Amino acid sequence: MRLFDLHCDTIYECAVGGHGIAKNNLQLDLKRGLKYDKWGQVFAVWMPDSLRGDEAWRQCEKMLQYFHKEAQENSQQMLVVNSADDLETAMNTDRCAAILAVEGGSALAGRIETLDLMSSLKVKIITLTWNGSNELGHGCMSDCKDGLTDFGKQAVTEMEKRNIIPDVSHLNNAGFWDVMQYSSGVVIASHSVSAKIFSHKRNLDEEQFAAIQKRGGLVGLTLCGAQLGQQTFDCIERHLDHYLSLNGENTVAFGCDFDGTDLPPGWGGIEVLQKIYEYFQSKNYDEALLDRIFFGNCYDFFVRL
Ligand SMILES: [Zn+2]
């Protein structure tokens, strides 16, 4: 099977714990991921809400550089993707196609110019907030219910000019609709499931899913138990089936949140996707549909960038 996953926090865990990306005891490494026939992976640099301003950007930059160093040292096994050509090259040479993201707009340190520094480090996606408030807006766990700040609205517009995709996972409701107003291109929710199936602040309501779908964006199914409701294959299926009932066959993907969420002991890490795929096979899902969800929707999305 082929795999393309929209979200993991492995860079942060590697950088903080001094682990390598090639092989480690975390939930994701190249050794396990490359067992899939093809593998694309979005690697996010997670920004803790305790960091703001220059301190936030300095930490983000350090982690991006750490990742590029790891990528260079393991260049036979992975390629950091900056273009459609890179994506095809990585796939054709059976390397991990690594796409860089920043999870938390606090990394901008309140300056639009930081977007150019991020672009030069091949960042393709920015999750506008984490759970709390930052210079751009307010996360879904913040007490503030306001939409994006003026800086946040400007940031969304400037990101679009630079082909950096806004990721609305973690953002509050008013912020979500501001992103839709101040951008016109694709928007993703990298790791969010359906609020209709399980009501949780981090999950997407029906209107939000429809808005992302209409833009040609992607929604990644997370493995996070708090968001799913139950951390079981059966529950993942309920969220998937609901999105499929909304004609989401070209919108849904996986955004597992490896190294960002606890998993049941038997799941291990990235290797669990093989078991989830086999579970869906045993339920007689169409193979072409499964390939779209596990791989194709993401590939088609990123190859257009
Ligand atoms: Zn997250």
Side-chain angles (χ1 to χ4, degrees):
M1 62 166 274
R2 308 192 292 177
L3 176 66
F4 210 130
D5 177 75
L6 276 176
H7 188 78
C8 74
D9 289 330
T10 307
I11 299 178
Y12 182 89
E13 292 299 323
C14 277
V16 167
H19 307 290
I21 195 70
K23 189 174 179 304
N24 58 50
N25 294 322
L26 303 171
Q27 291 173 350
L28 184 152
D29 60 25
L30 297 177
K31 186 165 186 274
R32 284 173 283 167
L34 286 169
K35 291 201 171 136
Y36 294 108
D37 295 328
K38 299 287 174 191
W39 180 33
Q41 180 67 51
V42 176
F43 288 90
V45 169
W46 174 67
M47 298 303 301
D49 275 327
S50 53
L51 290 183
R52 289 291 175 264
D54 283 338
E55 209 188 349
W57 168 240
R58 269 199 303 273
Q59 173 159 314
C60 182
E61 187 181 33
K62 211 170 79 187
M63 291 203 177
L64 290 168
Q65 280 163 350
Y66 179 88
F67 187 73
H68 281 295
K69 190 172 135 275
E70 284 286 305
Q72 228 161 25
E73 283 170 11
N74 297 285
S75 60
Q76 301 295 314
Q77 296 176 77
M78 68 184 289
L79 180 68
V80 183
V81 168
N82 203 30
S83 65
D85 281 351
D86 289 346
L87 180 56
E88 284 179 2
T89 302
M91 292 297 169
N92 291 340
T93 51
D94 290 330
R95 285 181 281 176
C96 171
I99 293 174
L100 267 169
V102 171
E103 186 178 20
S106 56
L108 294 183
R111 291 189 296 267
I112 293 297
E113 306 85 80
T114 314
L115 288 173
D116 296 322
L117 302 174
M118 287 189 182
S119 278
S120 67
L121 288 164
K122 304 185 182 179
V123 172
K124 310 305 281 182
I125 298 166
I126 299 175
T127 317
L128 299 175
T129 65
W130 195 57
N131 286 332
S133 294
N134 66 24
E135 292 89 342
L136 282 72
H138 311 280
C140 62
M141 302 299 179
S142 166
D143 291 332
C144 183
K145 304 289 176 239
D146 294 349
L148 296 182
T149 62
D150 288 344
F151 176 71
K153 291 168 186 170
Q154 192 194 355
V156 167
T157 307
E158 294 294 327
M159 281 163 63
E160 193 159 13
K161 288 184 193 162
R162 292 163 175 81
N163 254 345
I164 300 177
I165 300 156
D167 176 8
V168 296
S169 281
H170 290 280
L171 191 59
N172 70 359
N173 189 57
F176 176 95
W177 292 108
D178 277 344
V179 173
M180 289 300 164
Q181 190 179 334
Y182 289 89
S183 68
S184 57
V186 290
V187 169
I188 67 168
S190 63
H191 53 308
S192 294
V193 282
S194 170
K196 177 97 172 179
I197 299 302
F198 188 72
S199 176
H200 188 281
K201 284 182 177 175
R202 280 276 290 104
N203 289 345
L204 297 174
D205 66 29
E206 304 293 87
E207 290 75 24
Q208 291 175 322
F209 182 80
I212 293 171
Q213 187 176 26
K214 209 168 142 193
R215 288 276 181 95
L218 293 172
V219 173
L221 298 166
T222 177
L223 302 186
C224 169
Q227 286 176 254
L228 285 167
Q230 286 171 310
Q231 213 169 22
T232 61
F233 294 178
D234 181 66
C235 190
I236 296 166
E237 185 182 11
R238 283 202 293 278
H239 286 276
L240 172 62
D241 279 351
H242 182 63
Y243 282 153
L244 294 177
S245 78
L246 303 171
N247 302 315
E249 65 274 5
N250 295 318
T251 306
V252 185
F254 275 91
C256 293
D257 205 7
F258 290 121
D259 294 310
T261 195
D262 291 329
L263 296 176
W267 288 19
I270 191 167
E271 62 273 28
V272 75
L273 266 316
Q274 178 74 43
K275 290 182 194 161
I276 296 173
Y277 189 90
E278 285 163 11
Y279 168 86
F280 284 122
Q281 278 180 317
S282 76
K283 294 288 191 97
N284 293 318
Y285 283 80
D286 177 63
E287 291 276 347
L289 173 68
L290 290 182
D291 186 56
R292 292 213 65 70
I293 291 155
F294 280 78
F295 179 84
N297 287 340
C298 286
Y299 182 83
D300 291 351
F301 179 86
F302 287 112
V303 89
R304 285 199 310 259
L305 293 181

